[in-house]
Structures are given as C-alpha cells and as structure tokens.
Amino acid sequence: MIKLAVSGCRGRMGERITQLAWTDRDFAVTTLLEHQTHPKANEKINGLPIHTNPSALKGCDVLIEFTTPEATLEHLAACVRHGVRMVIGTTGLTPAQIEEIKKASEKIAIVFSSNMSVGVNLVFKLTELAAAQTAKTYTVTMEEAHHIHKKDAPSGTAKTLAQIVEAASGVKVADIKSIREGEIVGDHAVTFESGEDVITISHHAKSRDIFVRGALVAAKFLVDQKIGLFTMQDVLRLK
C-alpha cells in the first residue's frame, strides 16, 4: 500500500485528491499538509490531523503537490531530505524554480507535468503529430479558459502546448488568448490554419477529477522509480 501525502489539503485540488485517494485501495493517506495561515489548518480530516511542518513528510512514499510555487519548493526540499517521491502539478513556476525540481530529481523520483489529465496528455501527443506535419505552412494560435481564481495566464498547459508546437515544427505560436471567467475548470484549443483549411485540437474539462485521477495514476507509477524526472507522457507511455 502506498503511503500518500497530500499538500494543500484544504484547497480545491487537495481536498478532492484526499477524497479519491481514500476510496482507492492502493493508497493509505498518511499525511495532510496545509499552510499555517489557513483558517482550518488546525483541524482534522476523517480523523487525520493536518500538518503545517514539512517534516511530517518523513516516512511517506509519495507527495502529491498542487499548490503555490513557494510551497512546492519548500516541500521539494523536505522530500529530498526524507526520500519522498513527488507528483508536482503546480503551475506558474519560474525557470529557476523548474531547475530546482530538475536538480532534486537526481535524488528522488518526480512526475512533473503542467496537466495531469489523461485526456490533455493525449492532446499533447496529437498536437505534436499535427505540428510536425503542418510544419511552416500553417499559422498556429491557441485559446485557453479557466476560472476567475486562476492566477497564472497563459495556463501552464497552454505554455506546454506552445513548447510542443515549436519543438515539433520550429514555428512559434502566433497568439495565446487567455480567458478567466466564472468557474471554468479548463478549456484548451490549438488551431492550425492555412489558406485552404483549419485544424482544431481541443479539450474540455468537465470536472477537476480528471486531474486528480491522473495524479493518482502518476503516484502509482512513481512507486517503481527511485530517481529521475518524468512527465505524464512517461506515465502513460505516450513517448
């Protein structure tokens, strides 16, 4: 059984990760983390106390992290210290912070992805195939939409899609339109347009559970890994 820790356990994603992990027989939720300033940080969830000190990670197998860049880096250091694997879905990280994650993967196993959804990772692969074929004869644009609470724009997923297009075709994405309204879970569309046709690859998230379930799949994948930096493409064997 995988001893699982969940960071940001009182957040939107953290709460759902905890709930679904408790229904999965492969997991034993052993540690819950939350920021010390959270109004419910001193409460319990299903009888399990919430910790504000990362040292509580000692003895865990995997930590799932969907929080802020600052908290992610703090917990990354603790995971390296205690030999805990990490699933990182945090977005808005700077290049320097991403380098810290890469360095840490030399000591622990990490799955780091801008989007944990199985469906979105299929879109990543389809976008790579389309970009390689259209090369320099198509103009590429993107649109992404999320809820009003999301702080980063463009989304991490949109940035990943743009990087995939450039790597596969050598062409930069002409425009990324970001929309923040209501409670949109996550919509992404990549459009390839020529003088003769338009190709659109899109994904609509109906529920945050798609990200949660992907993160749990990633956590199971990590159990067999000692060190290294992986993406959901590795987890799903799409590479």
Side-chain angles (χ1 to χ4, degrees), residues 88-90 93 98 101 110-114 116 229-232:
I88 302 176
T90 302
L93 292 154
I98 292 172
I101 292 172
I110 300 172
V111 171
F112 175 42
S113 182
S114 61
M116 297 289 170
L229 184 62
F230 307 93
T231 69
M232 283 301 288

Side-chain angles (χ1 to χ4, degrees), residues 99-207:
E99 279 301 313
E100 288 298 311
I101 292 172
K102 290 179 179 179
K103 288 180 183 178
S105 71
E106 297 173 2
K107 298 180 179 179
I108 59 172
I110 300 172
V111 171
F112 175 42
S113 182
S114 61
N115 196 303
M116 297 289 170
S117 159
V118 172
V120 167
N121 277 275
L122 289 173
V123 166
F124 287 162
K125 190 64 178 181
L126 291 171
T127 299
E128 179 185 4
L129 293 172
Q133 291 300 317
T134 57
K136 299 180 180 180
T137 58
Y138 284 68
T139 298
V140 188
T141 58
M142 292 183 191
E143 182 174 303
E144 57 94 358
H146 286 84
H147 52 83
I148 58 173
H149 314 287
K150 187 170 179 60
K151 297 178 181 179
D152 56 318
S155 68
T157 299
K159 290 178 180 178
T160 298
L161 284 165
Q163 291 166 359
I164 289 170
V165 169
E166 185 173 354
S169 67
V171 176
K172 287 187 175 293
V173 175
D175 179 52
I176 301 178
K177 180 181 179 182
S178 296
I179 299 169
R180 298 288 177 269
E181 61 183 32
E183 295 297 331
I184 299 171
V185 176
D187 294 340
H188 292 87
V190 186
T191 300
F192 299 83
E193 183 171 1
S194 71
E196 293 79 34
D197 63 356
V198 176
I199 304 167
T200 301
I201 301 171
S202 65
H203 182 271
H204 169 66
K206 297 167 66 176
S207 164

